[in-house]
């Protein structure tokens, strides 16, 4: 189950009004699932997805009121998008697909991937340093903006679903089953961590150096307050699968999941509504 990155939701609901409304946005693409969304500012963002014949990329420059379809020139469904700034954006997907634009999406170029399986998540700390994880236990690393990618052995044979870096050295990968990996050297080596659970972990996010959250199936929410050295289980109040988490700030965070689940915390995850 692929996480849905939903930074857009946070930008639209930054005031945390309890009577906030959701409106359908256009264009709607028939037979296309959009799987990831990312905003670099209040106005500019991208969403990606696809169907069995085409990978789709849409861009907005007006806070999501309208969306422009960009040419991905890819037949592969895209699973995750990440933008460093308004010009440099990466998208990854099935069959080892890695796309990059350096002009805001006017042109998307295929990058060579050493991995041919489905790529699940991508994260960059700047225009040079980035990481990609796959459903097939692979962790890819670049130090030159994706001109070349190298595979880094994770020390495990599990599936990975999300990657997050606090800076160019300190990062985390989560996956199945109950897999948490931590690196302090930019992904050259990875240290397994124990969550104390047997849950399928889907998404990880940090608000600052110390405070982070992980979510997964059956309502799983884990929190760290020491930079990811230790993780403690929190009560979400639900048993649905939670697929994505994102911090707005140290106290405010959102989680989404199956069956239309949307959870919000205003105290760093201690309580969820």
């Amino acid at each position: 189950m692929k996480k849905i990155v939903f930074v857009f939701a946070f930008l639209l609901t930054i005031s945390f009004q309890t009577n906030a409304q959701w409106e359908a946005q256009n264009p709607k693409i028939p037979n296309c699932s959009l799987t990831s969304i990312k905003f670099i500012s209040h106005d500019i963002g991208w969403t990606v997805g696809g169907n069995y014949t085409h990978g789709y990329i849409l861009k907005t420059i007006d806070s999501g009121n309208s969306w422009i379809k960009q040419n991905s020139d890819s037949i592969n469904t895209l699973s995750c998008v990440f933008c460093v700034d308004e010009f440099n954006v990466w998208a990854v997907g099935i069959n080892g697909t890695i796309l990059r634009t350096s002009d805001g999406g006017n042109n998307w170029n295929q990058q060579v991937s050493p991995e041919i399986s489905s790529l699940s998540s991508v994260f960059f700390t700047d225009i040079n340093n980035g990481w990609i994880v796959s459903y097939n236990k692979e962790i890819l690393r670049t130090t030159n903006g994706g001109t070349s990618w190298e595979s880094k052995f994770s020390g495990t044979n599990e599936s990975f679903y999300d990657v997050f870096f606090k800076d160019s050295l300190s990062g985390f990968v989560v996956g199945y089953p109950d897999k948490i990996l931590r690196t302090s050297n930019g992904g050259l080596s990875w240290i397994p961590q124990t969550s104390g659970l047997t849950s399928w972990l889907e998404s990880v996010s940090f608000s600052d150096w110390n405070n982070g959250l992980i979510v997964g199936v059956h309502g799983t929410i884990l929190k760290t307050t020491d930079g990811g050295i230790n993780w403690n289980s929190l009560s979400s109040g639900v048993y649905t699968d939670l697929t994505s988490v994102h911090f707005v700030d140290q106290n405010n965070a959102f989680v989404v999941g199956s069956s239309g689940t949307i959870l919000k915390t205003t105290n760093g995850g201690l309580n969820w509504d």
Side-chain angles (χ1 to χ4, degrees):
M1 291 175 287
K2 182 67 186 73
K3 73 183 184 68
I4 301 175
V5 180
F6 57 109
V7 177
F8 184 36
F10 311 134
L11 293 171
L12 290 181
T13 57
I14 195 72
S15 61
F16 306 115
Q17 297 177 357
T18 57
N19 61 344
Q21 301 294 311
W22 290 91
E23 298 178 358
Q25 304 288 288
N26 288 307
K28 296 179 180 179
I29 303 175
N31 302 317
C32 172
S33 296
L34 298 176
T35 56
S36 177
I37 186 169
K38 185 75 174 185
F39 271 66
I40 193 61
S41 67
H42 184 274
D43 296 318
I44 301 174
W46 286 263
T47 183
V48 300
N51 51 30
Y52 294 108
T53 62
H54 193 75
Y56 286 98
I57 301 175
L58 303 176
K59 179 183 180 181
T60 181
I61 57 174
D62 59 7
S63 300
N65 292 308
S66 62
W67 293 86
I68 303 166
K69 186 165 67 173
Q70 297 186 321
N71 182 23
S72 71
D73 198 28
S74 175
I75 63 173
N76 296 315
T77 296
L78 302 173
S79 54
C80 187
V81 62
F82 191 92
C83 41
V84 171
D85 53 39
E86 61 183 294
F87 302 108
N88 294 280
V89 187
W90 285 261
V92 301
I94 66 172
N95 297 323
T97 301
I98 306 175
L99 303 178
R100 182 196 177 175
T101 180
S102 56
D103 59 9
N106 294 319
N107 298 281
W108 287 87
N109 300 306
Q110 182 90 32
Q111 295 189 322
V112 178
S113 171
E115 174 62 32
I116 61 173
S117 68
S118 295
L119 306 178
S120 53
S121 183
V122 56
F123 195 97
F124 274 76
T125 54
D126 52 52
I127 62 172
N128 292 314
N129 294 284
W131 299 262
I132 294 172
V133 295
S134 81
Y135 296 114
N136 189 34
K137 69 181 182 298
E138 294 293 333
I139 300 177
L140 307 181
R141 178 175 182 257
T142 183
T143 57
N144 54 20
T147 301
S148 61
W149 292 87
E150 55 182 342
S151 180
K152 293 297 180 182
F153 181 60
S154 64
T156 179
N157 292 319
E158 314 300 347
S159 298
F160 300 133
Y161 292 90
D162 196 19
V163 55
F164 186 98
F165 270 74
K166 297 187 288 185
D167 59 21
S168 61
L169 295 177
S170 180
F172 295 83
V173 168
V174 297
Y176 171 83
D178 69 319
K179 188 59 63 181
I180 306 174
L181 301 180
R182 178 170 63 94
T183 182
S184 58
N185 57 13
L188 297 178
S189 60
W190 294 87
I191 302 171
Q193 295 186 287
T194 302
S195 67
L197 302 174
T198 57
S199 297
W200 187 317
L201 304 178
E202 298 239 12
S203 180
V204 54
S205 179
F206 277 75
S207 63
D208 54 38
W209 188 264
N210 292 315
N211 294 282
L213 291 170
I214 292 174
V215 300
V217 300
H218 306 322
T220 296
I221 299 181
L222 304 174
K223 180 176 182 179
T224 181
T225 57
D226 57 11
I229 297 174
N230 297 287
W231 295 88
N232 298 307
S233 181
L234 301 177
S235 175
S236 66
V238 301
Y239 196 69
T240 53
D241 294 345
L242 304 178
T243 55
S244 189
V245 57
H246 188 87
F247 272 103
V248 177
D249 53 42
Q250 183 173 339
N251 292 316
N252 297 284
F254 284 83
V255 169
V256 296
S258 62
S259 303
T261 300
I262 302 177
L263 303 177
K264 180 182 75 174
T265 182
T266 58
N267 56 12
L270 297 179
N271 302 101
W272 295 88
D273 298 318

